[in-house]
Amino acid sequence: QKEVEQDPGPLSVPEGAIVSLNCTYSNSAFQYFMWYRQYSRKGPELLMYTYSSGNKEDGRFTAQVDKSSKYISLFIRDSQPSDSATYLCAMIGTNTGFQKLVFGTGTRLLVSP
Amino acid sequence: DTAVSQTPKYLVTQMGNDKSIKCEQNLGHDTMYWYKQDSKKFLKIMFSYNNKELIINETVPNRFSPKSPDKAHLNLHINSLELGDSAVYFCASSQQRGQPQHFGDGTRLSIL
């Protein structure tokens, strides 16, 4: 079993839809959680960085962490064609002294005009 | 002004050759990393350096040797390239361990 599970998609939605992207993890040592966006032929770009359980909002993006369920989500409101990319969750924790970022496999999102 | 820059962007070479990839960050970060992204887009850490000191070596063949001349640079040298080395290699940096990591745009390595 992988440490971090993420549905690879693709997830296709129409412009303006609310998108929900999710990851589950197995190791309770993970403490910090991140979401990255990766466009084709580009490096991952940090979108959200959270620590505690609960919600964190930044513009159209909301990151949600539920440590008790070992489940994290990224919501995108009013999705745009420019949001079409691969979204990677990543996490880091005490098991590696906060040295090693572990990624999900990424979910490919397609937003059609 | 690029924060994390890698050169070259593309590298096409023959099996058995030796090649190097360079990485520089202008963010003033203490920690730098090398990741490998395979054909299925899975990102896996290879190495981590903190202030020029090797912190993580993630069971990478010893044909791969990272070198950090100063904390703003982390280069990756690969000896005797094999077909399975074909991938995209990403450099990243963070202020400290546990802090968000910022990535370069990758070096696409293709072995013929």
Side-chain angles (χ1 to χ4, degrees):
Chain A
Q1 185 191 2
K2 287 182 182 166
E3 282 188 285
V4 180
E5 298 279 356
Q6 187 176 8
D7 188 330
L11 176 62
S12 295
V13 300
E15 183 175 356
I18 297 174
V19 174
S20 172
L21 303 163
N22 311 295
C23 287
T24 58
Y25 61 96
S26 54
N27 196 331
S28 57
F30 289 133
Q31 298 289 319
Y32 297 95
F33 304 90
M34 284 147 260
W35 284 95
Y36 285 85
R37 176 175 62 195
Q38 187 175 19
Y39 290 115
S40 180
R41 299 198 169 271
K42 288 289 189 180
E45 171 195 359
L46 181 70
L47 285 176
M48 301 290 278
Y49 173 69
T50 56
Y51 169 69
S52 55
S53 284
N55 293 353
K56 180 177 179 179
E57 194 174 313
D58 185 359
R60 295 185 297 113
F61 299 93
T62 299
Q64 194 172 77
V65 174
D66 183 348
K67 286 187 178 179
S68 62
S69 302
K70 298 191 181 68
Y71 187 88
I72 68 170
S73 300
L74 178 71
F75 298 96
I76 307 174
R77 287 183 299 282
D78 187 24
S79 56
Q80 303 294 309
S82 58
D83 294 328
S84 298
T86 296
Y87 289 79
L88 300 148
C89 64
M91 44 200 81
I92 197 166
T94 56
N95 55 322
T96 61
F98 300 100
Q99 297 286 0
K100 183 180 151 186
L101 195 59
V102 179
F103 281 87
T105 49
T107 299
R108 190 164 160 236
L109 173 66
L110 302 169
V111 182
S112 52
Chain B
D1 215 16
T2 307
V4 181
S5 58
Q6 297 179 229
T7 53
K9 286 189 175 181
Y10 300 94
L11 190 49
V12 181
T13 189
Q14 302 271 4
M15 205 164 53
N17 283 353
D18 303 338
K19 289 292 178 186
S20 291
I21 308 171
K22 295 187 175 182
C23 178
E24 175 181 5
Q25 54 95 2
N26 62 7
L27 297 166
H29 288 169
D30 286 343
T31 310
M32 295 185 73
Y33 311 82
W34 278 110
Y35 286 85
K36 180 179 181 181
Q37 189 171 46
D38 60 25
S39 56
K40 294 184 179 177
K41 305 296 184 187
F42 184 62
L43 260 173
K44 194 164 191 297
I45 191 165
M46 300 172 68
F47 299 104
S48 166
Y49 267 75
N50 185 263
N51 263 321
K52 304 194 297 174
E53 180 186 349
L54 179 65
I55 303 297
I56 292 177
N57 180 341
E58 194 68 10
T59 59
V60 176
N62 57 16
R63 297 183 296 104
F64 291 79
S65 52
K67 282 194 171 49
S68 182
D70 55 62
K71 74 172 192 176
H73 296 85
L74 180 61
N75 304 324
L76 184 64
H77 188 76
I78 316 170
N79 288 328
S80 304
L81 280 157
E82 299 177 357
L83 289 174
D85 297 332
S86 294
V88 184
Y89 292 84
F90 286 99
C91 177
S93 72
S94 65
Q95 181 61 52
Q96 302 170 15
R97 62 184 185 175
Q99 294 292 306
Q101 295 179 20
H102 299 265
F103 286 77
D105 278 339
T107 295
R108 280 146 192 86
L109 175 62
S110 297
I111 311 301
L112 304 177

